[in-house]
Amino acid sequence: MLEKNKIAQKRERRLIEVLSIFCVFVFMSSLFHNITLCYDLGKDDTETFIWLMIPESVAMLLMVFCSALIFKILFNLKHKRVFIRENARLVQFIGLAVMAYGTFLGLWKFVSPVETFVLIGSVFKAGIRIKEEQDLTI
């Protein structure tokens, strides 16, 4: 019986480690995406830069907030506190944060002067820039 308990604890610990690594990976990839977007859009001196960065920044803050809540849930799971009110509240906060972000993006679409297909437009702008540079090359 003691051996089965140790195996179960190892599995739980491994699951918590994998989930923690996943959270860190998602956060780091989002951070990298945001930095890359800042760099690419920083070359573009139009007025749309700030309108593109605000939703990205709000998404980053939301990810940090949700990551902190997930780590708290994982901490509770590690200490064998699964079905407690705190975990239920934390999961509800994560759901509310995601719903609030969806509402924010919906409202942002109406307020922002940037078109819907901003990414595609940015790709075309980069293509035009590359074409103009290539045309100037002898």
Side-chain angles (χ1 to χ4, degrees), residues 14-120:
R14 184 69 180 151
L15 177 66
I16 290 171
E17 289 172 358
V18 168
L19 291 174
S20 298
I21 290 170
F22 178 73
C23 289
V24 169
F25 174 74
V26 168
F27 177 73
M28 293 306 288
S29 65
S30 299
L31 182 65
F32 178 74
H33 170 70
N34 206 10
I35 290 171
T36 305
L37 183 64
C38 284
Y39 176 74
D40 290 340
L41 293 175
K43 292 188 265 181
D44 186 13
D45 59 351
T46 62
E47 296 176 0
T48 60
F49 176 73
I50 192 69
W51 291 100
L52 297 172
M53 285 311 302
I54 289 176
E56 289 288 328
S57 299
V58 170
M60 287 294 297
L61 288 173
L62 181 70
M63 282 190 227
V64 168
F65 176 71
C66 287
S67 296
L69 296 179
I70 289 171
F71 279 124
K72 180 64 178 162
I73 291 171
L74 292 175
F75 178 80
N76 288 339
L77 292 177
K78 183 178 179 183
H79 289 91
K80 306 287 185 206
R81 295 181 295 188
V82 180
F83 295 107
I84 59 175
R85 291 188 191 275
E86 182 182 12
N87 285 348
R89 225 182 10 227
L90 292 172
V91 171
Q92 286 177 339
F93 283 148
I94 291 171
L96 287 173
V98 171
M99 285 175 37
Y101 182 66
T103 305
F104 168 76
L105 284 182
L107 294 174
W108 190 257
K109 185 177 176 181
F110 292 110
V111 175
S112 173
V114 181
E115 297 109 26
T116 306
F117 298 101
V118 174
L119 180 62
I120 296 171

